[in-house]
Amino acid sequence: MWGGSKLSSSGSRILEGLRLGFQRTQADSSRLTTSEVYPKNQLSWIPQIKPWVFSENRIMWFKSYSMTFACLNWMKIFRLPWTRPYSTSQTTVDASEVKTFLALAHKWWDEQGVYAPLHSMNDLRVPFIRDNLLRTVADHQPGKPLSGMKILDVGCGGGLLTEPLGRLGASVVGIDPVDENIKTAQHHKSFDPVLDKRIEYRTCSLEEIVKDTVETFDAVVASEVVEHVIDLETFIQCCFQVLKPEGSLFITTINKTQLSYALGIVFSEQIAGIVPKGTHTWEKFVSPEKLESILESNGLSVQTVVGMLYNPFSGYWHWSENTSLNYAAHALKSSLQEHPAPAEFALKGETEELQAEASTNTGVQEELKK
């Protein structure tokens, strides 16, 4: 979201005027409260979409013979979201976004430049990823807590997040569709022989590597990425495919609120110049509720959602109970034992059960006629 750190005097006055609007939005975010920097327990709010609810309510659907054929026709076109075949011809990359970041490719490692807020964001997102991953392992090596883990950093840019994860001992693959970004990242890691061995960079999109990396990674990181893709559903499905069972997906992004438009677009891009104009499109922003809905319907269980706030005056980020601007989310891929049967077999089983039930009921009716 953020791409710089300097504010004009007029920008400061505008920000102060918008502060009241931000305070009013806190009441709307009360359901995502947390007593710590980021919550250890699961969310207190209940996921609203569960694809397997269809099987739970099947009896209600087929009480009436008149509904049977209509429901069977509907079931033919229904497929569980995470069993949909992916296609490398279906891209999530927005060509206009590629042009925007291509122009900034040489500025990734300027800590005082347009990417200064992303450098500062590492103070939150690196511990957020590290601590949640360590909850999934029994022990770890001091100094290299993520040793033995394979992480995919999607939309890695110049490697601002990839390198800290590599320093924690993880084996990291960073991918980005902008070739100049990858060249910048490769050049920077070459100065550290340790990182040179632990980190691999590739110029590609996520969907291009799905086929060769199914269930490969312990974690997938998409930090400040989902607000730039053109097909969020496909993007999440690809994340699910490359994750190992019970693997972690980490996302940081921007909420879709009036405040995020006022601060993220109008103030940051058009008034204060914190972010280059055209960096973000408000229509691509996604609310925590919608993101969770997509994650849950694609086999990923949301564990944590917590707000993030950036202070453009100090240049630092801090955690917040308010998710009306930026927020971070952590989700786990369902284990193999929890997966429902593939859609084709599930539908076949449903059809066979219905046919058997219809035959039984026909026999009962004939007996009653006698």
Side-chain angles (χ1 to χ4, degrees), residues 162-177:
T162 317
E163 289 197 6
L165 295 176
R167 290 192 180 91
L168 291 174
S171 174
V172 190
V173 175
I175 63 173
D176 198 285

Side-chain angles (χ1 to χ4, degrees), residues 87-88 93 177 203-213 238:
S87 171
T88 55
V93 178
T203 303
C204 63
S205 63
L206 175 58
E207 56 272 14
E208 289 176 321
I209 68 167
V210 169
K211 186 176 181 180
D212 297 326
T213 58
C238 291

